[in-house]
Amino acid sequence: MVVVNTTNHGGSNAHLVDALAAADPSGRLRAALSAGTRPDPHLTDTLVDRCAVEPDFFVRDMLTWALCRFPTELTVPRLVRELGSDTAQARSQSLHTLSKIGDRLAWPAVSALLHDEHDEVARSAWRAAVALVPPGDEAALAADLTTELGRGDQHLQLSLSRALVGLGDAVLPVLDAAGTSPDPRIRAHAEATKRLCHDPDSGFTLSVETAKRVAVAGPDA
């Protein structure tokens, strides 16, 4: 269970702390907007803690926007600590926020979650890693990400493909290597990703469906 920190927020911040936990999502949205419009460093912990439990997508997105307006020397270390949370949403939303802030000091902690067992955390880590990868490390990241080829359903695989495409030409050699895998799902996922590299509107779905048919028929099909 994640408990939102409501201590040390007296005075003008008290109403925002309460509003961020209100039953009405529109009220929570307005509170997050207000927190970002007039950033108060004392609210950093409250906003990060709320990200871990907020059920509404639009409110979470506004919380991320608000945190992006705070000093990075406060938000980045706090968000990095959140990556060690036992709560999947806490990790996922912190990764998303770190990708928006764009501070590469978070890179080591972000790259450590590329293979998180929770699909949404892994998806967020892939996106954040592409945003934060240090110049010159794109090929190493591409090689690491391709070990996830074939994971999950079509939507998760498309997320990984889009992350790989974001690495540019550095990804092509590792996709070629993945295309020789004995696993038909990995081969098809690599093929679909290569198509996206050359044509973002190509038939990713068709390639993945082909992989499913091959997997059912067996590796020698």
Side-chain angles (χ1 to χ4, degrees):
M1 175 180 179
V2 178
V3 179
V4 175
N5 180 10
T6 60
T7 60
N8 300 320
H9 295 305
S12 62
N13 284 335
H15 76 285
L16 277 179
V17 174
D18 291 339
L20 285 168
D24 180 13
S26 63
R28 301 197 302 273
L29 185 68
R30 288 192 297 270
L33 173 62
S34 180
T37 302
R38 294 179 294 276
D40 183 336
H42 293 96
L43 283 172
T44 303
D45 283 346
T46 298
L47 295 174
V48 173
D49 289 345
R50 186 64 206 177
C51 285
V53 297
E54 173 55 53
D56 187 273
F57 169 81
F58 296 104
V59 178
R60 291 199 303 273
D61 213 38
M62 188 64 75
L63 289 167
T64 286
W65 172 82
L67 285 165
C68 287
R69 292 176 56 81
F70 279 58
T72 57
E73 61 268 23
L74 294 177
T75 55
V76 171
R78 179 64 181 83
L79 289 164
V80 166
R81 289 200 304 274
E82 195 75 349
L83 297 183
S85 171
D86 291 333
T87 303
Q89 182 173 306
R91 301 196 302 277
S92 178
Q93 193 65 23
S94 292
L95 285 162
H96 174 65
T97 305
L98 286 166
S99 73
K100 296 298 183 183
I101 292 173
D103 191 326
R104 287 198 170 99
L105 288 177
W107 164 249
V110 168
S111 61
L113 294 181
L114 294 176
H115 310 293
D116 194 280
E117 64 182 12
H118 193 283
D119 286 347
E120 285 306 313
V121 177
R123 188 199 310 268
S124 295
W126 300 338
R127 293 170 177 167
V130 172
L132 299 176
V133 60
D137 286 357
E138 292 86 357
L141 175 58
D144 200 1
L145 287 178
T146 54
T147 64
E148 294 287 279
L149 287 170
R151 173 178 174 174
D153 61 15
Q154 176 184 330
H155 298 292
L156 187 66
Q157 291 184 11
L158 180 55
S159 293
L160 177 59
S161 292
R162 285 173 172 163
L164 287 165
V165 169
L167 294 173
D169 291 343
V171 76
L172 295 176
V174 292
L175 288 176
D176 287 339
T180 66
S181 169
D183 187 326
R185 286 180 60 85
I186 292 176
R187 292 199 307 271
H189 195 178
E191 176 191 348
T193 305
K194 287 175 67 175
R195 290 183 180 180
L196 284 179
C197 287
H198 300 299
D199 178 6
D201 297 320
S202 63
F204 178 86
T205 301
L206 176 62
S207 292
V208 173
E209 290 301 321
T210 299
K212 292 178 181 178
R213 291 196 297 271
V214 172
V216 170
D220 296 326

